[in-house]
Amino acid sequence: MTVIKCISPVDGSVYAEREAMPLAAAEAVVARAKKAQKAWAKRPLEERVQLVLKGVARLNEMADEIVPEIAWQMGRPVRYGGEFKGFNERSNYVAEIAGSSLTPIVIENSERFERRIEREPHGVVFVIAPWNYPYMTAINTVAPALMAGNTVIIKHAAQTLLVGERMVRAFNEAGVPEDVFQNIFLDHDTTSALIAANSFDFINFTGSVEGGRAIERAAAGTFTPIGLELGGKDPGYVMEDADLDAAVDTLMDGATYNSGQCCCGIERIYVNEKLYDAFVEKSVAWVSNYKLGNPLDPETTLGPMAHKRFAATVRSQIADAVSKGARALVDPKLFPADDGGAYVAPQVLVDVDHSMEFMTEETFGPAVGIMKVKNDAEALALMNDCKYGLTVSLWTKDAERAARLAGDLETGTVFMNRADYLDPALCWTGVKETGRGGSLSVIGFHNLTRPKSYHFRKALA
């Protein structure tokens, strides 16, 4: 019997463990979801929407338990209060647009013909959720999938082992039927076996590039539609006319918040030579103000990374960059809590370039590199010199200039004068090795349903 363990980054202890389900038991979960789906889809849309919102409300009532639970599981400081703001914003928005997003497209309704396109739920949706924002990333798919009439089976990463269990409990207590929304604990082999057996009608995976490849290999030949959000190395570009203080504040927060463990976190920054020195100076001062420590302490502003192996990647990339000529500007003595394990001091590197892994491979930690550029053309080439593409953050007062650059950027989202935010009205999507598909917005509903055409000839005369 495989036991899945959550090793807490707070102190290295086993915080939670669950037995992985054997294949036969997992197949029974899928069978129950399939059996329940048709009846769930036949319920009125508004009833499904309201049940989902009740589940969201019930989860909010658990906040006092959830916030420290997350700190223990993946290290986010309790002072930030969990993920409820984004979780609620996304849930409420998809509830508002569910009706319009799923309304049939009527082509003709005359005496002779009725022609329309309707959106039908896929069936059983499998959500494989990550640990970095375990509630917000999951709700991106869970809420619209359930509202659209799918049943959902959720599997969370081992690092946030308890999140799926808690989400399902809240939704079930709020009235969502138990077979409509189920949590499952699986090892990798059983997950792959279920996918290969064509058990699911849609799969959404958020995680590593290698994890995405494993999902695709398992699904090969099944024709199961898959949504993937994978790696990232999101850049910021600060132009000479940018609001310097606003750019520093937003980009440094985007680079280091949640210990840099954000899908759309800022990992590399290009600054026009006219602002470069001032930007670097202010950025180092900004980052140096963090208090690294135990996430259960309300004074802590920067907690440990989720696992010491993730922290090892950050340290390795920094060391490699420094060995190749980069300079680390944040004084490590300011962060005595850095223990060489999961607790990592934030860092700003300069004299970096794209020969360094630190500027090309995902770091996913509280460290960022800053490069000086002369013009837009140089910045554009550097921003596109990447195998990932989730978001780009542009800083300028000239919206037309930003729009011109945006048209040539290889990315899923272009921000101007902001960063690291998921707008539920816009499609969340990526290019290159960041993945494919898209969640939220009307497009998210369309990805979680399939079109069905009706062509009725009413009269033969």
Side-chain angles (χ1 to χ4, degrees):
M1 180 70 70
T2 301
V3 177
I4 303 171
K5 296 182 179 182
C6 168
I7 307 299
S8 174
V10 175
D11 59 6
S13 65
V14 176
Y15 179 68
E17 56 185 340
R18 296 288 187 273
E19 290 185 354
M21 223 176 238
L23 181 59
E27 289 171 336
V29 169
V30 174
R32 291 196 298 272
K34 287 184 180 294
K35 184 177 180 181
Q37 191 270 322
K38 294 293 185 183
W40 173 249
K42 287 180 179 178
R43 292 198 187 195
L45 172 60
E46 186 57 27
E47 181 181 332
R48 299 195 302 266
V49 168
Q50 290 306 314
L51 282 170
V52 170
L53 291 179
K54 287 178 180 178
V56 169
R58 179 70 188 101
L59 196 73
N60 275 256
E61 293 171 357
M62 301 175 177
D64 289 344
E65 301 168 73
I66 287 173
V67 172
E69 197 171 76
I70 285 295
W72 276 107
Q73 289 179 93
M74 54 76 63
R76 186 184 306 122
V78 295
R79 69 178 287 129
Y80 298 121
E83 303 167 31
F84 291 101
K85 181 179 178 182
F87 184 86
N88 295 338
E89 180 184 35
R90 297 172 192 189
S91 303
N92 291 333
Y93 184 77
V94 295
E96 290 174 8
I97 67 166
S100 59
S101 299
L102 299 171
T103 296
I105 301 170
V106 178
I107 309 301
E108 179 182 0
N109 190 7
S110 66
E111 292 182 356
R112 297 189 62 206
F113 286 100
E114 181 181 353
R115 296 182 294 142
R116 68 184 187 277
I117 304 167
E118 294 193 2
R119 307 295 315 185
E120 285 196 347
H122 286 298
V124 179
V125 171
F126 187 34
V127 177
I128 308 174
W131 51 262
N132 63 323
Y133 283 95
Y135 286 100
M136 286 201 293
T137 53
I139 204 65
N140 293 350
T141 303
V142 169
L146 290 172
M147 291 176 186
N150 299 284
T151 52
V152 174
I153 297 172
I154 189 167
K155 172 192 174 297
H156 254 88
Q159 198 61 50
T160 45
L161 190 62
L162 305 181
V163 172
E165 189 175 68
R166 185 171 285 281
M167 281 186 71
V168 166
R169 174 186 151 196
F171 277 56
N172 292 164
E173 288 178 0
V176 175
E178 291 185 0
D179 291 344
V180 167
F181 187 25
Q182 300 178 80
N183 178 65
I184 197 167
F185 299 108
L186 299 174
D187 60 25
H188 294 312
D189 289 344
T190 306
T191 301
S192 295
L194 287 171
I195 293 171
N198 206 10
S199 301
F200 309 107
D201 301 297
F202 185 89
I203 300 168
N204 188 84
F205 172 77
T206 305
S208 69
V209 173
E210 285 309 308
R213 290 194 174 111
I215 298 294
E216 288 201 326
R217 284 194 295 269
T222 67
F223 307 113
T224 305
I226 302 172
L228 300 171
E229 185 195 326
L230 310 175
K233 193 73 181 176
D234 289 4
Y237 173 34
V238 182
M239 299 171 225
E240 70 278 1
D241 67 336
D243 182 323
L244 179 60
D245 289 337
V248 169
D249 186 62
T250 301
L251 292 174
M252 287 304 105
D253 182 67
T256 56
Y257 182 77
N258 204 39
S259 297
Q261 300 166 134
C262 302
C263 299
C264 56
I266 297 296
E267 297 211 1
R268 53 197 174 108
I269 302 173
Y270 308 99
V271 184
N272 182 275
E273 57 189 0
K274 295 178 181 178
L275 288 184
Y276 177 80
D277 290 339
F279 183 90
V280 170
E281 181 181 0
K282 287 176 177 286
S283 294
V284 171
W286 197 101
V287 170
S288 297
N289 282 325
Y290 268 118
K291 180 182 177 182
L292 176 67
N294 190 314
L296 298 164
D297 180 348
E299 298 300 314
T300 294
T301 55
L302 192 70
M305 295 190 66
H307 198 283
K308 61 183 181 181
R309 73 176 182 274
F310 306 145
T313 296
V314 176
R315 293 190 177 95
S316 174
Q317 286 191 5
I318 291 174
D320 175 71
V322 169
S323 74
K324 294 176 180 176
R327 289 186 295 131
L329 300 184
V330 176
D331 185 354
K333 294 178 182 178
L334 296 171
F335 301 94
D338 187 326
D339 62 354
Y343 289 83
V344 180
Q347 192 53 267
V348 173
L349 270 63
V350 295
D351 297 339
V352 290
D353 60 49
H354 282 214
S355 71
M356 303 169 183
E357 187 177 280
F358 183 75
M359 293 298 286
T360 59
E361 290 291 341
E362 186 170 42
T363 303
F364 220 59
V368 65
I370 306 174
M371 285 181 66
K372 182 190 299 183
V373 295
K374 293 181 179 180
N375 52 44
D376 290 355
E378 183 181 3
L380 177 65
L382 288 166
M383 286 187 283
N384 281 344
D385 181 28
C386 183
K387 61 185 178 182
Y388 306 111
L390 185 59
T391 79
V392 171
S393 177
L394 303 178
W395 288 82
T396 177
K397 295 182 176 69
D398 187 343
E400 292 184 2
R401 180 182 181 185
R404 287 194 300 271
L405 276 169
D408 290 324
L409 285 166
E410 297 162 357
T411 189
T413 295
V414 182
F415 294 110
M416 186 182 83
N417 299 332
R418 76 177 310 171
D420 192 20
Y421 173 70
L422 194 160
D423 182 341
L426 301 176
C427 184
W428 193 242
T429 186
V431 300
K432 302 181 183 177
E433 289 191 14
T434 290
R436 59 189 172 92
S439 61
L440 298 174
S441 76
V442 62
I443 293 172
F445 271 108
H446 287 180
N447 285 336
L448 289 163
T449 56
R450 58 179 179 268
K452 186 173 188 177
S453 294
Y454 290 77
H455 192 154
F456 291 2
R457 186 175 183 177
K458 296 180 179 179
L460 296 177

